[in-house]
Amino acid sequence: MSKGRAEAAAGAPGILLRYLQEQNRPYSAQDVFGNLQREHGLGKAAVVKALEQLAQQGKIKEKTYGKQKIYFADQDQFDTVSDADLQVLDAKIVALTANVQSLQQSCRHMEAELKELTSAMTTPEMQKEIQELKKECAGYTERLKNIKAATNHVTPEEKEQVYRERQKYCKEWRKRKRMATELSDAILEGYPKSKKQFFEEVGIETDEDYNVKLPDP
């Protein structure tokens, strides 16, 4: 056993006693090991040994359920809660429960409003225009390819006109794509699901879905 592990094992009873008293809830040895080994470097054997030692000393309580042992703080060390205190706690629980229900209701209203907003979006129309622009751009790209292959049949003016038109449509494509991205990002800020799920529900298809890449400027 390394020096660090030996020191951790020696201090294990004190660490575990404080932990069980602070948490004041039952744990198995595996639970305690999983919760504390990273912070304190305790090994599983050291945790089991320390818990058994504390139980034998009467500092904590031990219960056996089937093949598993459960350890928890001795409840005698804690103050007895009066009926009045319990009533106060019950009132707090009722208030917190009502608050949770109110928040849940607000969330449902927000989800309903989001669905209405989503259904009212013009995304399908935008996608249709984008697809049309893609087709036009593809046509001009093919035309440009043919023109480049037969430069002796094209005047410099015609060539420049083609480049200007290509630049115009690519600029429009880039503009509409940016608009669609900004709109979807704004909605996703309050959307409870992932971006992929949002696109599937709304029916948004992206350039990437069709392996289409926006030409470089």
Side-chain angles (χ1 to χ4, degrees), residues 17 41-42 50 66-67 89 107 112-113 115 131 141 157 176 204:
L17 180 59
L42 298 174
K67 296 182 179 180
L89 290 174
C107 287
E113 291 176 358
K115 288 181 179 179
Q131 292 299 326
T141 300
E157 292 75 16
R176 292 176 181 271
I204 295 177

Side-chain angles (χ1 to χ4, degrees), residues 22-118:
E22 290 171 356
Q23 300 299 317
N24 194 23
R25 55 173 293 183
Y27 288 105
S28 67
Q30 180 62 40
D31 292 333
V32 176
F33 167 68
N35 294 341
L36 298 180
Q37 66 93 207
R38 177 175 297 181
E39 180 179 356
H40 297 284
L42 298 174
K44 179 69 176 296
V47 169
V48 173
K49 181 179 179 180
L51 289 172
E52 291 178 348
Q53 178 183 336
L54 290 170
Q56 291 173 0
Q57 294 172 350
K59 294 181 179 180
I60 63 173
K61 296 296 184 181
E62 174 187 280
K63 293 288 185 181
T64 302
Y65 296 94
K67 296 182 179 180
Q68 188 176 45
K69 291 183 179 181
I70 301 298
Y71 300 91
F72 52 92
D74 186 356
Q75 300 300 298
D76 292 339
Q77 65 182 303
F78 299 112
D79 295 334
T80 302
V81 180
S82 66
D83 291 340
D85 290 335
L86 289 175
Q87 290 177 359
V88 172
L89 290 174
D90 288 339
K92 288 183 178 180
I93 291 173
V94 171
L96 289 173
T97 301
N99 189 29
V100 169
Q101 291 175 347
S102 176
L103 290 173
Q104 290 176 337
Q105 186 175 6
S106 298
C107 287
R108 286 193 291 268
H109 285 317
M110 291 178 64
E111 289 176 356
E113 291 176 358
L114 179 60
K115 288 181 179 179
E116 292 179 2
L117 176 62
T118 300

Side-chain angles (χ1 to χ4, degrees), residues 19 32 38 71 105-106 112 119 130 140 166 169 174 184:
Y19 180 74
V32 176
R38 177 175 297 181
Y71 300 91
Q105 186 175 6
S106 298
S119 62
I130 290 173
Y140 282 110
R166 177 181 183 272
Y169 283 103
R174 193 174 290 104
S184 63

